[in-house]
Amino acid sequence: MSETVEKIQSIEAEASSAIGSAGTPAELEDARVRFLGRKAALNEILKSIAQLPPEEKGPVGKAGNQTRGRLEALLSRRQEVLEAAALNDLLENERIDITLPASPTIAGGSLHPITQTRREIEDVFVGMGYKVAEGPEVERVHYNFDALNHPPNHPAREWTDTFYFSDDVLLRTHTSPVQVRVMERQPPPVYVIVPGKVYRRDNDATHTPMFHQIEGLAVDENVTLGDLRGTLLEFARAIFGEDREVRLRPHFFPFTEPSVEIDVSCFKCKGGGHLKDGSRCNLCKGIGWIEILGAGMVDPNVFEHVRESGYDPEKIQGFAFGMGVERIAMLKHGVPDLRLFYDNDLRFLDQFGRGVA
Amino acid sequence: MRVPMNWLAEYCDPGMDAAALADRLAMTGTEVERVVRHGAQTTEGFVIGKVLTREQHPDADRLSVCGVDVGEGEPVTIVCGAPNVDAGQTVAVARPGAVMPDGTKLKKAKLRGVESNGMILAEDELEIGGDHNGIMQLETDPALSGRELAAGAPLIEALVPGEDVLELEITPNRPDCLGVYGVAREVHAITGNPLASLPTGPSPEGDETFSIEVQDHTLCPRFTARVYRDVKVGSSPLWLKQRLSAAGQRPINNVVDITNYLMLLTGQPMHAFDMDKIRGGRLVIRNASEAEKMTTLDGVERVCDEQTVLVCDGEGPSAIAGIMGGAISEVSDETTSVLLEIATWNGPNIHRTSQKLALRSEASGRFEKGLSAELPLEVQELAAKLMTELTGARLTSATIDVAGEIAAPRAVKLRATKLRALLGAEISAQRCAEILQRLAFDVAVEGDDVVATPPHFRAADITREADLIEEIARVEGVDSIPATLPAAPAAIGRLSGSQRLKRRIEDLLAANGYHEAITWSFTGAQQLAAISADGAAAPEHELLTIANPLSEDHSVMRPLALPGLLQAAKHNLARGADAVRLFEVGAVYSGTADEPREHTAIALLLSGPAAAGTWRDQGANGDFYALKGVVDAVAAQAGVTPEYQPIDATHHTYLIPGRAAEVLVGDVSLGWLGELHPLVAKRFDLPDTVVGELNLQALSALLPEPVTYEPISTFPPAREDIAVVVEAERTADEVLGVVREAGGKLLSGAGVFDVYEGEQVGEGRKSLAIRLTYSAPDRTLTDDEVAAARAKITERLESIGGLLRG
């Protein structure tokens, strides 16, 4: 090995060490000038290759150029390391207060709890094969009362109980007229639910003149009272929790027979009527059951009104049910006062905005 | 309907307490509103006492010190304040420990220095009657005199001191349960415990007749009467007063009390006439003439119409049929002869008249539900017993019965197959027959079927197979039916396109910071005038008006949702909200009662910052453009980009005309938006506010077909910006229209990105900065092509007076 090659090796060792230990960009630049600059020893050696004896020219040129390449790469890597370190130092000084509030992408709006409850109920029944039907709020006496088997002297017909525009036109008192409208339009089988606003001439602590109902109607060849029970059991469990039970109490409605009221087992005291501390459950008043809706098997007289559309009461049968959306929402969310739904106070509405997306 | 437990148990003993019975009734179709206590809280501590001695209290003029035998060997001392207390009386005594109606537990007490070991009771202290003039003297009570009343015996042997009362809500199809005996029948049906029959009275002692004429039997299917002579009007016995009071009826006198008692027992109202005040010795049941007047026994003069049915004597009206008697023939203390009317009236007619006269009574409330025409004959038999025993009267006539054709109850067939199909549960024909028999039906089993004829008091309610099924289901217990689900192979559940659109819009608005409100569908003329800048009333012919509103400000169906949203904004700003962003999706109304119209509106209100401010960004104040962005986003949910045109301010007087727009897609108006007129804003104490309303149905009609894919150009577009100065009146849409037309096919986009008005462009002019995008689907455009297109655009802009800025 020639002396010159040995010298190159020694330069490389010295330069590598200097580059590796450069702690700042300035030190690195010094090392670059010192070992790779125009006047650096390595450059001088490469420039003077022509003067070397012929047998040395090859080995020295090769060693010199290789060393130069390696040193340049080393220099460049060191440069990156130093730049990254400098950037990190800079960033370290640009810390932010991560506890300040976010810039929201969702700017805090909300769906009304009545809408949320209505949708939740709709979705339960859509999942069970129901479609959602709607109808007019300004309704004819025929659809609201006559076709629903209300006798002429039924108290709900009175002008003290119901809003009228004329003797024949009123604000619907329930969503049930849509039952008749749907059956007029469509032959059986029918599986629909009907959400909507309804109106009664009542205004006190527990009644508002406008409120919301959801009606259900299932008509087929062989729908039974047992099916009604099973359907509403599924509903109660979906809305109030998987371990709920339902109870059927006989009742009377003009448009169903038999008619029942449906109670759901209290979800606060689990139906026991008493809380863990032994006190009486204030939700179900110690009864263990909470009334949630009215229902029954569609009265044959209702089918008579739509017989022309394919509803022969000897061939088809069905069930219907109706519930107040406010009542379900109050139970589910612990809202104590019906009026809160209609004050539209943002402090109230905001509480129901968390689930909005 | 109040049902005292002791009274009920006289006919059918439920064999359980009131709370347990309430549960049983509730589960078999009789709703129990609550169980209340009438009279004393306990029956213990109330005994029969004999007053042995009475002396004046040494220190009090009005108090007596009595020695009373209460069965304890030695008489006890009781201090009594009643003026009528005296030795020799048999009295009701509350001993220490007894709990009075108000919950007070009686203790030994010293009254002016003398120890009293209880209390001698007056009627009102046990809520038996209203009499507080003196203590009850049991030995003088007509029903108790002559009975062995042992000192110290529980008071309940003579008189009920207190009891539980069921408050029932009787459904309109069960007028037969508007009497205690009807409820006893129910108890019999659900428990199987024996049902006692009602005690009837003696046969008539004379053959007195009386002329009664019924002009229209459709209004009065049956009118019966009996005549009683030698009536002694007086106080009723204590047991009767107690029952009436417990059932919620105030005792008056024996004759009136008997009529009330029998009504509460059987559900059948009746009316007692003072026979001597029936002029002309006859009764005619006829329709009133228009505006005919009569004074009812509450002293009010009533004006009848032609559908009012009157019971008239020889000279004029004596009672309003089925609703209230007349003052003229009212039973008084002097009455000695009574004609007892028990009739059946047409339910709807009674209902109508009672509405018309605004006069409701216990009688009208029962008659309007339609009572059995057989009932009057039965109840006359019951009345005879009470009238003769309690008033000393003689029944001097047979039942005078003037009746039309009374339809007999019809047999109804119940098929076991139908029962099973409807209920989804198996109940044997034998079991069905048993239930119906207990409900007093006449029953025959025919194989798997049952043929049942309802009793007369159920005939109106039970006419079809479904009615029988209901009876069986409720008595058997609907709660025992197993839960199943419909097979329903044909049921496919889904939301319609427009229902999904509505949900998307609601979600979009909520996600953009809008809170959903629900405001009343009602408004009023005053509210509508308040949203008109000049305060003018809304044109009435366009409003759907309620004939019987609850109040003036709830008398009109809202033609737009704005009044409610403004009210809600005011409510929230007054409570410290710094921004109000509201939306409502609900019906708005127009048209007339004959042709009502309604559609679903999406109403928007923005007051204050357009988006919630943060700690570093206070949020730009909401203005027209902020809400326009919301409207664009809503429309985009239906796949459309609307146009905005100047609005007809006469139809939107709540908006600033120059800052409002009609929202259109083609020829279809979707609605409007604009900045709220300052005069309107001021009335609601609102700062700058923007409002708008879109028609959901119009929007859903535009819902697009599924999107068809278009190839994406692989050739890069060319972009350049130009600035053009035009007259200030020119709208951006106009200028862009010119640009797009001139740019032709190569111009693939043009949009305003800056607007400048000021000195540099001169008064009455503005500069619009427009970004132009050129592209072609099949090649990269050359500079020459772009230049040619731009030249065309420039030329056209200049032709409308535009000046391109360097």
Side-chain angles (χ1 to χ4, degrees):
Chain A
M1 189 184 292
S2 83
E3 203 177 310
T4 314
V5 171
E6 277 172 17
K7 192 171 177 201
I8 289 171
Q9 285 171 343
S10 126
I11 289 170
E12 181 167 355
E14 192 187 349
S16 301
S17 157
I19 290 168
S21 63
T24 66
E27 285 172 20
L28 190 64
E29 179 61 12
D30 282 351
R32 188 190 67 76
V33 171
R34 203 167 123 216
F35 297 104
L36 290 169
R38 268 188 298 128
K39 292 178 183 166
L42 184 59
N43 206 34
E44 294 297 334
I45 291 170
L46 288 169
K47 272 198 287 188
S48 62
I49 281 176
Q51 280 94 57
L52 288 176
E55 72 277 13
E56 281 193 32
K57 276 182 186 169
V60 170
K62 190 179 172 197
N65 281 320
Q66 281 177 345
T67 293
R68 185 193 196 97
R70 281 196 291 269
L71 287 179
E72 277 171 353
L74 210 56
L75 194 77
S76 154
R77 271 205 302 282
R78 188 64 192 164
Q79 179 100 21
E80 284 167 16
V81 168
L82 288 181
E83 276 171 9
L87 182 63
N88 284 337
D89 281 353
L90 195 68
L91 292 177
E92 187 59 31
N93 291 324
E94 289 180 355
R95 278 181 170 270
I96 58 165
D97 179 357
I98 56 167
T99 65
L100 281 171
S103 297
T105 52
I106 297 167
S110 63
L111 294 182
H112 197 285
I114 294 295
T115 298
Q116 295 189 28
T117 305
R118 192 200 72 213
R119 283 192 188 183
E120 201 178 338
I121 297 167
E122 281 175 1
D123 291 348
V124 170
F125 286 102
V126 166
M128 286 196 272
Y130 289 66
K131 289 193 177 70
V132 179
E134 287 153 299
E137 294 171 19
V138 180
E139 186 53 282
R140 286 177 46 208
V141 168
H142 170 78
Y143 287 107
N144 198 76
F145 290 130
D146 300 347
L148 290 167
N149 200 34
H150 284 59
N153 60 336
H154 194 277
R157 290 176 180 259
E158 285 167 26
W159 280 50
T160 49
D161 288 29
T162 297
F163 292 110
Y164 282 88
F165 299 97
S166 67
D167 286 334
D168 186 42
V169 181
L170 45 67
L171 275 174
R172 66 178 178 193
T173 60
H174 43 193
T175 41
S176 314
V178 184
Q179 282 186 20
V180 184
R181 287 179 174 275
V182 166
M183 288 192 283
E184 277 182 349
R185 278 202 301 265
Q186 176 198 335
V190 163
Y191 292 85
V192 291
I193 54 159
V194 184
K197 285 196 180 99
V198 300
Y199 302 85
R200 290 183 195 171
R201 224 170 155 279
D202 262 338
N203 202 3
D204 57 39
T206 55
H207 299 88
T208 48
M210 175 184 96
F211 58 102
H212 296 77
Q213 276 192 341
I214 292 185
E215 182 91 5
L217 175 71
V219 181
D220 214 329
E221 281 175 10
N222 49 11
V223 185
T224 67
L225 188 65
D227 292 342
L228 170 67
R229 185 193 188 113
T231 300
L232 293 175
L233 179 63
E234 289 298 319
F235 158 76
R237 289 180 174 175
I239 299 291
F240 294 112
E242 281 307 319
D243 44 1
R244 297 281 75 75
E245 293 296 336
V246 295
R247 179 173 87 163
L248 274 61
R249 274 182 296 109
H251 198 70
F252 171 78
F253 300 110
F255 41 109
T256 49
E257 186 153 72
S259 301
V260 293
E261 281 188 325
I262 307 275
D263 300 335
V264 61
S265 57
C266 181
F267 44 88
K268 186 163 182 181
C269 63
K270 308 295 171 209
H274 290 85
L275 302 179
K276 278 192 184 123
D277 64 4
S279 64
R280 195 181 77 142
C281 176
N282 55 356
L283 188 63
C284 65
K285 312 250 172 354
I287 297 166
W289 296 95
I290 300 170
E291 183 188 326
I292 52 166
L293 56 81
M297 300 305 290
V298 178
D299 193 292
N301 287 358
V302 173
F303 290 136
E304 286 297 342
H305 280 275
V306 289
R307 182 186 270 275
E308 300 290 295
S309 311
Y311 293 83
D312 177 348
E314 272 300 301
K315 294 185 179 142
I316 48 96
Q317 55 189 41
F319 61 74
F321 56 86
M323 69 188 94
V325 182
E326 279 82 351
R327 177 162 175 78
I328 306 289
M330 285 170 91
L331 288 170
K332 199 169 163 68
H333 299 292
V335 176
D337 182 356
L338 183 63
R339 305 257 146 200
L340 287 166
F341 291 122
Y342 297 105
D343 285 343
N344 295 305
D345 193 306
L346 293 178
R347 294 165 297 181
F348 173 78
L349 298 176
D350 232 9
Q351 296 178 26
F352 299 91
R354 293 175 199 130
V356 172
Chain B
M1 170 78 199
R2 286 170 63 100
V3 178
M5 285 294 282
N6 283 293
W7 193 358
L8 177 68
E10 183 169 320
Y11 311 113
C12 183
D13 187 350
M16 59 188 103
D17 68 12
L21 180 60
D23 277 350
R24 282 296 297 277
L25 286 170
M27 295 307 288
T28 51
T30 309
E31 191 158 339
V32 184
E33 284 184 342
R34 61 182 81 82
V35 177
V36 295
R37 186 76 189 175
H38 183 85
Q41 301 290 314
T42 57
T43 49
E44 300 79 44
F46 293 91
V47 297
I48 294 167
K50 304 254 187 200
V51 183
L52 302 179
T53 57
R54 187 200 80 86
E55 283 161 20
Q56 181 64 42
H57 190 290
D59 292 324
D61 289 350
R62 298 190 176 183
L63 295 182
S64 303
V65 179
C66 305
V68 183
D69 179 1
V70 290
E72 293 179 355
E74 288 300 303
V76 298
T77 304
I78 295 178
V79 179
C80 180
N84 66 334
V85 68
D86 212 344
Q89 291 170 340
T90 304
V91 293
V93 176
R95 301 300 318 277
V99 184
M100 302 301 288
D102 65 0
T104 314
K105 191 169 186 178
L106 217 60
K107 297 189 194 106
K108 282 187 191 178
K110 274 199 172 169
L111 291 163
R112 296 271 178 124
V114 179
E115 189 177 75
S116 183
N117 293 285
M119 192 167 149
I120 303 175
L121 299 164
E123 280 183 10
D124 65 337
E125 283 159 337
L126 288 180
E127 298 182 335
I128 287 169
D131 192 355
H132 192 60
N133 293 326
I135 52 148
M136 293 180 280
Q137 291 170 247
L138 303 184
E139 80 283 0
T140 65
D141 181 77
L144 295 174
S145 63
R147 266 182 58 186
E148 187 61 40
L149 297 171
L155 179 60
I156 199 162
E157 289 180 8
L159 186 61
V160 177
E163 63 182 323
D164 288 335
V165 177
L166 303 175
E167 283 193 11
L168 306 181
E169 187 187 321
I170 304 300
T171 53
N173 61 326
R174 294 300 304 274
D176 61 299
C177 281
L178 291 169
V180 172
Y181 195 73
V183 178
R185 280 198 211 100
E186 278 295 306
V187 174
H188 165 68
I190 62 179
T191 62
N193 296 347
L195 178 70
S197 54
L198 290 168
T200 54
S203 302
E205 295 171 28
D207 52 3
E208 201 167 353
T209 58
F210 195 83
S211 164
I212 292 170
E213 180 196 344
V214 174
Q215 291 190 346
D216 184 352
H217 277 300
T218 60
L219 297 175
C220 176
R222 170 164 262 151
F223 190 103
T224 73
R226 280 184 168 187
V227 176
Y228 294 90
R229 299 286 182 184
D230 304 333
V231 174
K232 285 188 247 347
V233 175
S235 183
S236 292
L238 289 167
W239 69 265
L240 179 53
K241 289 185 183 180
Q242 192 275 335
R243 282 188 177 177
L244 288 176
S245 298
Q249 193 82 38
R250 194 166 54 89
I252 296 169
N253 62 45
N254 51 7
V255 174
V256 174
D257 289 352
I258 288 167
T259 63
N260 283 332
Y261 177 79
L262 289 173
M263 174 180 74
L264 294 170
L265 176 61
T266 64
Q268 168 71 53
M270 63 210 74
H271 183 61
F273 290 87
D274 184 331
M275 191 78 183
D276 297 330
K277 292 178 186 161
I278 299 177
R279 298 159 299 185
R282 64 197 181 95
L283 288 175
V284 178
I285 290 82
R286 62 162 171 84
N287 286 62
S289 54
E290 187 63 34
E292 186 167 0
K293 289 173 185 161
M294 78 153 290
T295 303
T296 41
L297 48 75
D298 54 5
V300 179
E301 188 180 73
R302 310 282 172 179
V303 182
C304 309
D305 66 13
E306 286 174 348
Q307 292 183 58
T308 312
V309 179
L310 297 175
V311 181
C312 301
D313 62 16
E315 292 177 27
S318 196
I320 299 179
I323 300 177
M324 194 175 275
I328 190 167
S329 52
E330 186 179 1
V331 169
S332 70
D333 290 351
E334 285 76 43
T335 301
T336 58
S337 299
V338 165
L339 179 135
L340 186 64
E341 165 212 313
I342 308 184
T344 312
W345 305 101
N346 176 300
N349 178 268
I350 295 295
H351 174 74
R352 195 209 66 89
T353 302
S354 137
Q355 286 292 306
K356 183 90 183 171
L357 297 177
L359 178 61
R360 287 184 61 84
S361 63
E362 283 279 342
S364 69
R366 287 174 161 80
F367 280 128
E368 67 188 22
K369 294 183 174 68
L371 298 182
S372 160
E374 301 296 337
L375 202 50
L377 297 174
E378 293 179 6
V379 179
Q380 284 287 12
E381 300 291 322
L382 309 179
K385 178 175 170 67
L386 292 174
M387 284 295 288
T388 52
E389 287 180 4
L390 302 186
T391 76
R394 287 183 300 116
L395 170 55
T396 58
S397 75
T399 301
I400 303 159
D401 179 18
V402 184
E405 210 168 304
I406 310 283
R410 293 224 322 268
V412 182
K413 186 171 183 176
L414 169 67
R415 295 163 293 175
T417 48
K418 186 70 183 173
L419 178 96
R420 193 164 47 235
L422 205 64
L423 299 184
E426 196 88 35
I427 302 172
S428 72
Q430 266 61 37
R431 177 63 185 150
C432 291
E434 187 185 325
I435 287 169
L436 292 171
Q437 265 156 359
R438 276 198 203 160
L439 288 166
F441 285 64
D442 211 358
V443 180
V445 178
E446 296 176 0
D448 270 354
D449 301 340
V450 175
V451 177
T453 308
H456 66 81
F457 49 85
R458 297 298 308 280
D461 183 37
I462 309 286
T463 56
R464 306 161 306 164
E465 191 173 35
D467 303 322
L468 291 179
I469 294 173
E470 173 164 66
E471 290 302 302
I472 289 158
R474 72 178 181 88
V475 174
E476 185 71 2
V478 281
D479 198 41
S480 63
I481 289 166
T484 51
L485 283 173
I492 313 247
R494 64 167 173 264
L495 296 178
S496 69
S498 98
Q499 287 160 352
R500 285 199 307 272
L501 173 66
K502 182 177 161 204
R503 284 196 179 193
R504 282 203 305 276
I505 291 171
E506 290 166 345
D507 288 342
L508 169 90
L509 291 169
N512 279 281
Y514 284 73
H515 290 278
E516 186 187 11
I518 298 180
T519 69
W520 303 119
S521 301
F522 316 105
T523 186
Q526 221 179 322
Q527 283 67 20
L528 290 172
I531 64 159
S532 172
D534 58 7
E540 268 177 36
H541 63 275
E542 291 170 13
L543 299 176
L544 196 53
T545 306
I546 299 172
N548 57 337
L550 275 177
S551 63
E552 203 48 48
D553 57 4
H554 275 194
S555 62
V556 172
M557 298 309 288
R558 60 180 185 189
L560 73 175
L562 185 60
L565 285 189
L566 290 177
Q567 196 56 47
K570 177 182 176 172
H571 169 97
N572 282 296
L573 288 164
R575 279 155 187 79
D578 50 5
V580 180
R581 293 178 294 275
L582 293 174
F583 77 97
E584 179 167 6
V585 182
V588 294
Y589 315 81
S590 58
T592 61
D594 292 336
E595 279 181 68
R597 289 192 298 274
E598 59 187 272
H599 73 260
T600 307
I602 306 156
L604 302 161
L605 177 142
L606 166 57
S607 197
T614 69
W615 51 274
R616 56 179 181 163
D617 171 9
Q618 292 317 303
N621 230 38
D623 62 3
F624 176 87
Y625 299 109
L627 200 65
K628 184 179 174 183
V630 174
V631 169
D632 272 341
V634 168
Q637 292 300 322
V640 292
T641 309
E643 290 164 38
Y644 296 82
Q645 289 190 358
I647 202 160
D648 179 357
T650 56
H651 288 115
H652 302 275
T653 55
Y654 33 86
L655 300 178
I656 303 175
R659 292 168 170 267
E662 185 170 14
V663 185
L664 294 146
V665 170
D667 295 339
V668 180
S669 176
L670 292 186
W672 51 267
L673 84 156
E675 295 185 8
L676 189 67
H677 199 290
L679 290 175
V680 178
K682 200 172 152 200
R683 289 184 202 128
F684 289 88
D685 301 321
L686 301 182
D688 291 352
T689 296
V690 208
V691 293
E693 190 172 297
L694 300 176
N695 181 332
L696 180 66
Q697 274 84 37
L699 209 50
S700 24
L702 299 171
L703 273 173
E705 298 293 309
V707 171
T708 308
Y709 167 78
E710 283 177 21
I712 300 160
S713 170
T714 52
F715 302 97
R719 291 203 175 85
E720 65 174 344
D721 297 342
I722 59 170
V724 60
V725 177
V726 294
E727 293 112 332
E729 289 75 36
R730 291 244 180 239
T731 65
D733 266 1
E734 276 179 84
V735 175
L736 289 176
V738 167
V739 169
R740 286 195 190 103
E741 201 193 321
K745 268 199 259 173
L746 296 187
L747 183 72
S748 56
V752 173
F753 68 91
D754 192 25
V755 179
Y756 173 76
E757 282 177 280
E759 276 175 30
Q760 288 181 34
V761 295
E763 190 156 326
R765 299 177 74 75
K766 66 182 172 191
S767 166
L768 297 177
I770 301 171
R771 172 153 298 170
L772 304 172
T773 307
Y774 307 93
S775 65
D778 54 351
R779 65 189 189 279
T780 304
L781 294 175
T782 64
D783 288 351
D784 288 349
E785 282 176 302
V786 172
R790 184 179 54 243
K792 245 183 163 174
I793 291 168
T794 309
E795 187 188 328
R796 287 284 294 116
L797 284 174
E798 281 168 357
S799 78
I800 62 158
L803 180 67
L804 257 71
R805 299 167 76 204

